[in-house]
Amino acid sequence: DQQVKQNSPSLSVQEGRISILNCDYTNSMFDYFLWYKKYPAEGPTFLISISSIKDKNEDGRFTVFLNKSAKHLSLHIVPSQPGDSAVYFCAASAQFQGAQKLVFGQGTRLTINP
Amino acid sequence: DGGITQSPKYLFRKEGQNVTLSCEQNLNHDAMYWYRQDPGQGLRLIYYSQIVNDFQKGDIAEGYSVSREKKESFPLTVTSAQKNPTAFYLCASSTLTGDGTQYFGPGTRLTVL
């Protein structure tokens, strides 16, 4: 049972345009949502997070939108740059046995074309 | 420089041998985690620990073992009982409060021949 899903395995965007990465979840108990960026053969790097009580969080070129009724979140990157080419994972966080536990989606490979 | 280190970066072992992957952090985080990543899949939790001398199984603990004798260290042993050990292994750490943000090490690529 996949609680966090990223239905697009890959996405290709032209440099300078907007990249939109999507993520769906099933468990209403998640209280935070996070996005990570990962280059090949490296560990994921934390990008941005959002609390379940908010619907938008912005940090520079990155904005995360949360639609609780649809159990859907998205990451917008504007403008997209070549260095943004990577695999992006969304993760959902919930309290479990005294700790915040993360559940990850399968990832979306973003390619920015010059 | 605070961070998480994993060693070695690449590891080769013969089938049937146990192998231990190292993970050290100097972020003063209470919680530490081990994940496995396979091609086209997300990160799957193997084991986690919230306090020294205590740890819990994650979603795919079979064939793995861990120890947490020091706050800074959380080594993972891949035993011969693990049926498909070839994978990219990631260690992470976090505080016990807040939004649950975990900070990852650079990973170890294990190949079993």
Side-chain angles (χ1 to χ4, degrees):
Chain A
D1 176 27
Q2 191 113 33
Q3 295 187 68
V4 178
K5 287 185 187 177
Q6 293 175 257
N7 291 316
S8 298
S10 62
L11 176 67
S12 189
V13 174
Q14 196 170 357
E15 183 179 357
R17 308 292 289 265
I18 183 171
S19 294
I20 300 175
L21 298 111
N22 294 303
C23 181
D24 296 298
Y25 63 95
T26 57
N27 190 339
S28 301
M29 299 301 291
F30 290 133
D31 49 8
Y32 290 95
F33 301 90
L34 302 87
W35 284 95
Y36 285 82
K37 174 181 180 180
K38 186 181 180 301
Y39 293 119
E42 293 185 12
T45 302
F46 169 71
L47 272 178
I48 190 169
S49 64
I50 187 168
S51 164
S52 61
I53 63 172
K54 296 191 174 180
D55 54 19
K56 178 182 174 182
N57 188 25
E58 194 171 350
D59 183 2
R61 295 187 299 116
F62 302 93
T63 304
V64 56
F65 295 92
L66 176 63
N67 182 334
K68 280 186 72 176
S69 60
K71 293 190 174 71
H72 176 84
L73 66 152
S74 61
L75 175 68
H76 293 212
I77 307 173
V78 181
S80 300
Q81 299 174 354
D84 296 330
S85 294
V87 176
Y88 289 78
F89 290 98
C90 73
S93 173
Q95 267 282 329
F96 182 76
Q97 293 181 343
Q100 286 291 127
K101 202 174 157 194
L102 292 184
V103 179
F104 287 85
Q106 310 96 304
T108 296
R109 180 177 302 279
L110 175 64
T111 302
I112 305 301
N113 301 307
Chain B
D1 250 316
I4 303 176
T5 56
Q6 291 184 244
S7 61
K9 181 74 173 170
Y10 298 96
L11 191 55
F12 296 88
R13 278 293 180 268
K14 290 184 180 177
E15 197 171 336
Q17 289 182 336
N18 291 357
V19 60
T20 297
L21 282 59
S22 166
C23 177
E24 304 276 332
Q25 56 100 358
N26 60 4
L27 299 167
N28 199 32
H29 285 167
D30 289 301
M32 296 186 75
Y33 310 80
W34 274 104
Y35 292 89
R36 168 183 172 136
Q37 188 194 9
D38 294 284
Q41 296 198 34
L43 280 62
R44 293 185 290 167
L45 182 64
I46 304 172
Y47 267 98
Y48 66 103
S49 167
Q50 299 169 48
I51 194 169
V52 173
N53 292 322
D54 189 37
F55 46 83
Q56 286 78 41
K57 291 182 180 179
D59 302 317
I60 53 164
E62 186 175 348
Y64 299 98
S65 66
V66 293
S67 63
R68 187 90 185 273
E69 296 175 3
K70 298 186 299 182
K71 187 176 182 178
E72 302 79 19
S73 178
F74 191 41
L76 173 76
T77 297
V78 184
T79 75
S80 56
Q82 168 49 233
K83 292 189 172 115
N84 296 297
T86 294
F88 189 54
Y89 290 88
L90 288 157
C91 179
S93 70
S94 74
T95 64
L96 292 177
T97 57
D99 62 7
T101 301
Q102 294 177 16
Y103 298 90
F104 286 83
T108 293
R109 167 74 62 188
L110 173 64
T111 302
V112 176
L113 307 169

